[in-house]
Amino acid sequence: MSRSLDNDLLAHLKTENPDPVYNDISRIFMDVPDDELLEIEFLGKSHPLQPGVNYLREGKAVAIPKLRLVQAFCVARQILKNYQNKNSPIGAYEAKAATAVLLLMDPEHLTAANTRKRLLMPLLETSEPEVGALRQEKQFVDSLLTSRLYRHTKSLTLWSHRRWLLRQFATHDMLVDPRHDIKNVIMTAGMRHPRNYPAWHHARFLLDFCPQLAGSVAADVKEFCLRNHTDISCWSFLSYAIKAIDDKQRRREICSSLLMEILGITESLRWTNESVWVFLRNTAATEFISEQQFESFLAINRKLASVTPKDSDRWRILDGARRWCDENRIIPNPDLAGT
Amino acid sequence: MRLYYIGIIQNESKPGTELCAEKDLTSYSRWTRASYEEFMTMFAKTVAERTRPGQRQDVEQQDYTFHAYGRTEGVCGIIISDQQYPALVAHQLLSKVMDEFLAAHPRSSWSAGQSIAMPELNDYLTKYQDPHQADSIMKIQRELDETKITLHKTIESVLQRGEKIDDLVAKSDGLSNQSKMFYQQAKKQNSCCVVM
């Protein structure tokens, strides 16, 4: 959604009372379901709603008109400003509702995100911490990160807030399921916004929680990479997951089987794009790949180069991958040669 | 690599008729899905009507590619994919779909533009989203001559001189007013996910 406001929108803003709009929209986020994430979208002028109807809802799908969002944002901004004043009558519930609307409009609103942290802390610093509040917060943040909201899926503020949240989970002995989060939150955000560095950076953080899951996570991410083969961020994370496998023998097995599988598909589907070949060359050059497997890598590289116009961008990617390996390859242990 | 649409259009007479089609709309949000559905049919017909018997062509438009295979029998298979989907796989799949359609349905059952039930389209749309299945169809299907597939960089390049996409959208019976407004709005916003 564009952040600019056109003249019609500005004219509307001046004439209507925004309070009922704010009340309706803020309420959506004070009651996020426990078992599913909201799918939020913004509606433009092509989808006018009847007067008095401030949003659409069908199960987990929520649609908010751009005009209504801006009206609600103006009210929310004032509430937060009042809350920050000394002796403010604004309570925690109201402040939290306002911050939800602020982040919906502006995912980089750091004050709103930090206010939410400050509102959570008193609930946790007691003899019986309200861990349900942490779960609810995760549902809220994950809804924003996985919805079809272009700026939210790649918001550094939201991903940073999620990182803080999961540290609180760990502090209060709550279960963090990296594999589930990578499949359901990271991959969804990665699809909504390709080459989503903040999302995949968060995936590294998640994997560091439970490195023993690296092998399973690598298998999951490999499938995502095959479906999104032009996305360098997921291929980079796949390399990271492979390196995180602690047991060296297992790392060798997974690394070499992934390489051969991906090489096979690359040859068949004639992939010559940079993201795939950066992954292939990085993997082929490790000490986990036998001579025979390396020869397969070279053979497929040469075969694709032979059917690609010489000196074209694609040809240079293939040629560059092969030459990079010449310079950077770690020769494997001779005991494993030929396996 | 994604598939969005597989359909068969009777293009012997103009305007063309969509005889059967399956769409994957899961990439789109709940309240814009209906518009994308309408646009898929509209643009598929536009490309099919401009695909000659025996011709294969690929038409790129923003993030999409329309793969077309015109048969001499008077029907045209269309696949809409993203630009990462391998064109050869799409055309192998078109060959398979068109052969099966023509073997199963005699000309009399569709020549007047009657709708045809072809439930396999839904299976193929799901199955060939999977890169492993795309890999397998490349291995088992006949060799295609890639050089015979004409590539167009925009839909406008297949239109006749003077025809504009915006005019076709505005005049189309198959698009609701809401969809037409959505098209105008998406163009203005210059977002990364502009309609078709």
Side-chain angles (χ1 to χ4, degrees):
Chain A
M1 186 190 83
S2 163
R3 275 183 283 191
S4 66
L5 303 178
D6 59 30
N7 292 332
D8 285 348
L9 198 62
L10 287 168
H12 263 112
L13 286 176
K14 287 178 183 157
T15 57
E16 291 187 350
N17 175 12
D19 289 332
V21 178
Y22 169 78
N23 291 336
D24 275 355
I25 291 176
S26 60
R27 215 169 292 137
I28 299 168
F29 301 102
M30 297 310 285
D31 195 21
V32 182
D34 290 336
D35 53 349
E36 59 183 7
L37 301 179
L38 295 179
E39 288 182 10
I40 308 158
E41 65 177 286
F42 298 139
L43 300 176
K45 276 197 280 195
S46 62
H47 225 119
L49 302 189
Q50 289 173 14
V53 176
N54 296 314
Y55 66 92
L56 297 175
R57 179 123 186 210
E58 196 176 279
K60 60 184 178 177
V62 176
I64 301 170
K66 185 176 172 182
L67 168 65
R68 302 291 173 228
L69 177 62
V70 174
Q71 287 174 316
F73 173 80
C74 294
V75 176
R77 188 172 51 184
Q78 195 54 46
I79 291 174
L80 186 64
K81 200 171 159 196
N82 293 346
Y83 175 71
Q84 288 169 324
N85 292 336
K86 222 171 167 183
N87 303 319
S88 162
I90 308 279
Y93 182 90
E94 269 195 89
K96 190 176 170 193
T99 58
V101 173
L102 290 170
L103 286 170
L104 187 65
M105 174 75 182
D106 180 3
E108 302 300 353
H109 203 296
L110 193 54
T111 306
N114 287 342
T115 303
R116 291 183 79 86
K117 292 178 180 75
R118 281 193 284 272
L119 289 168
L120 276 168
M121 290 313 294
L123 304 175
L124 302 171
E125 288 165 348
T126 66
S127 52
E128 287 184 20
E130 286 184 43
V131 295
L134 281 177
R135 279 194 204 99
Q136 262 232 326
E137 186 67 10
K138 187 167 170 290
Q139 290 294 96
F140 167 69
V141 169
D142 287 352
S143 295
L144 294 184
L145 289 170
T146 57
S147 285
R148 289 175 182 83
L149 302 173
Y150 188 61
R151 290 187 301 127
H152 294 65
T153 53
K154 216 172 175 178
S155 161
L156 294 174
T157 299
L158 290 179
W159 285 109
S160 171
H161 188 67
R162 195 181 199 275
R163 191 162 54 243
W164 174 88
L165 203 52
L166 291 189
R167 288 201 178 108
Q168 298 304 315
F169 268 56
T171 302
H172 294 93
D173 296 322
M174 291 166 70
L175 180 67
V176 174
D177 187 347
R179 204 175 166 195
H180 173 274
D181 281 6
I182 288 171
K183 279 171 97 159
N184 294 290
V185 181
I186 308 297
M187 288 187 190
T188 305
M191 275 195 308
R192 300 274 183 259
H193 200 134
R195 292 170 285 282
N196 191 334
Y197 177 76
W200 290 103
H201 182 63
H202 191 83
R204 288 172 177 79
F205 164 77
L206 284 171
L207 190 55
D208 291 348
F209 261 107
C210 301
Q212 65 273 23
L213 293 178
S216 315
V217 165
D220 296 340
V221 174
K222 179 255 306 179
E223 290 300 321
F224 182 90
C225 290
L226 293 178
R227 286 172 188 260
N228 299 275
H229 69 281
T230 57
D231 190 334
I232 187 68
S233 300
C234 58
W235 286 111
S236 293
F237 178 73
L238 180 56
S239 294
Y240 183 88
I242 294 169
K243 280 194 200 110
I245 298 168
D246 195 37
D247 180 77
K248 209 165 178 183
Q249 179 56 26
R250 193 154 173 256
R251 197 183 326 150
R252 182 189 313 283
E253 285 162 6
I254 289 176
C255 189
S256 54
S257 83
L258 281 181
L259 177 71
M260 297 316 292
E261 182 185 353
I262 294 165
L263 269 176
I265 293 183
T266 300
E267 179 188 9
S268 179
L269 302 186
R270 304 193 194 178
W271 284 343
T272 55
N273 61 294
E274 192 162 19
S275 302
V276 169
W277 281 95
V278 164
F279 172 80
L280 287 172
R281 68 145 204 231
N282 287 349
T283 309
T286 62
E287 70 267 36
F288 304 117
I289 301 304
S290 69
E291 283 299 332
Q292 195 177 16
Q293 288 164 339
F294 187 70
E295 285 305 317
S296 300
F297 161 81
L298 289 178
I300 289 168
N301 180 284
R302 283 191 206 106
K303 182 181 173 188
L304 289 176
S306 70
V307 295
T308 306
K310 197 160 185 260
D311 292 329
S312 63
D313 289 343
R314 300 227 148 193
W315 183 87
R316 283 200 203 99
I317 287 166
L318 293 166
D319 187 59
R322 187 181 41 74
R323 283 189 290 106
W324 190 91
C325 282
D326 287 342
E327 289 166 28
N328 295 284
R329 187 176 172 224
I330 302 169
I331 305 297
N333 187 321
D335 292 339
L336 296 166
T339 55
Chain B
M1 40 183 269
R2 291 200 66 94
L3 291 176
Y4 298 104
Y5 171 102
I6 304 180
I8 298 174
I9 290 155
Q10 193 263 81
N11 66 342
E12 207 169 36
S13 48
K14 312 274 190 288
T17 322
E18 190 182 66
L19 302 176
C20 52
E22 286 294 333
K23 295 156 192 158
D24 181 338
L25 301 169
T26 53
S27 298
Y28 308 108
S29 56
R30 160 69 184 79
W31 278 279
T32 56
R33 237 161 242 186
S35 291
Y36 281 101
E37 187 168 10
E38 289 174 7
F39 277 111
M40 282 185 195
T41 294
M42 187 233 153
F43 283 109
K45 281 201 240 175
T46 302
V47 173
E49 285 164 6
R50 291 152 180 83
T51 304
R52 293 187 306 278
Q55 186 191 16
R56 287 184 188 268
Q57 55 181 355
D58 286 343
V59 184
E60 294 177 353
Q61 182 74 10
Q62 274 124 20
D63 298 327
Y64 300 92
T65 304
F66 296 78
H67 309 276
Y69 175 28
R71 292 286 293 244
T72 52
E73 292 89 340
V75 280
C76 180
I78 298 280
I79 283 175
I80 306 176
S81 71
D82 66 6
Q83 289 205 6
Q84 283 73 49
Y85 200 89
L88 275 181
V89 174
H91 281 278
Q92 297 281 19
L93 183 52
L94 278 171
S95 297
K96 178 182 167 67
V97 163
M98 297 311 286
D99 285 347
E100 287 177 11
F101 174 82
L102 289 166
H105 303 285
R107 189 185 158 78
S108 54
S109 65
W110 51 260
S111 57
Q114 308 94 306
S115 282
I116 301 285
M118 193 174 175
E120 305 92 297
L121 288 187
N122 193 36
D123 298 336
Y124 294 153
L125 193 60
T126 309
K127 184 175 177 184
Y128 293 105
Q129 299 280 13
D130 180 353
H132 301 285
Q133 299 296 338
D135 174 23
S136 69
I137 204 178
M138 285 291 276
K139 289 184 164 88
I140 62 173
Q141 290 287 322
R142 55 177 175 264
E143 289 289 323
L144 266 179
D145 185 353
E146 206 171 349
T147 60
K148 296 264 164 48
I149 304 172
T150 317
L151 176 64
H152 298 269
K153 287 293 186 180
T154 62
I155 280 191
E156 292 210 333
S157 64
V158 301
L159 302 184
Q160 287 179 7
R161 190 187 290 276
E163 272 190 315
K164 295 272 181 234
I165 278 293
D166 289 2
D167 295 337
L168 291 179
V169 168
K171 284 189 304 196
S172 170
D173 293 332
L175 298 175
S176 63
N177 286 334
Q178 186 170 81
S179 294
K180 291 179 187 181
M181 275 194 71
F182 178 61
Y183 175 83
Q184 292 304 329
Q185 179 195 309
K187 275 181 60 179
K188 259 202 313 190
Q189 284 178 357
N190 199 32
S191 69
C192 78
C193 309
V194 178
V195 165
M196 293 290 153

